[in-house]
Amino acid sequence: WKGGISQNTLLMSSNLGIPSRSENFSEWYNELVVKADLADHSSVRGCMVIKPHGYALWENMQRALDDMFKATGHVNAYF
């Protein structure tokens, strides 16, 4: 383990040709999303186009979180 990250995670990052999560989380995350074909860069700076599989993941996460929020009496907000 290095900083709570397994050796396998470090090897997977290097095999994918992306930075390690521990060195640059933001760059690692963005490159992982692109390599997994979940989203792609947009012509609008700072924006990404979410592809169908990425959007399906988002919908599943949103549904699970929405259920948890409602179970505790909270409501969603978007900004």
Side-chain angles (χ1 to χ4, degrees):
W1 292 85
K2 178 183 177 184
I5 298 171
S6 72
Q7 188 65 28
N8 283 344
T9 301
L10 293 172
L11 289 174
M12 288 182 344
S13 289
S14 65
N15 288 341
L16 291 173
I18 61 176
S20 73
R21 184 173 66 176
S22 63
E23 292 174 354
N24 187 334
F25 181 84
S26 179
E27 188 177 344
W28 169 83
Y29 179 82
N30 285 322
E31 288 299 316
L32 185 66
V33 166
V34 170
K35 292 263 184 177
D37 202 34
L38 299 174
D40 206 355
H41 297 283
S42 165
S43 60
V44 178
R45 186 174 178 220
C47 293
M48 296 187 88
V49 176
I50 302 172
K51 293 183 175 185
H53 285 96
Y55 198 80
L57 285 171
W58 164 246
E59 287 179 315
N60 288 331
M61 292 186 317
Q62 184 183 29
R63 191 174 306 113
L65 289 169
D66 188 52
D67 291 344
M68 287 189 269
F69 293 153
K70 288 179 179 172
T72 59
H74 294 85
V75 294
N76 283 320
Y78 285 89
F79 53 93

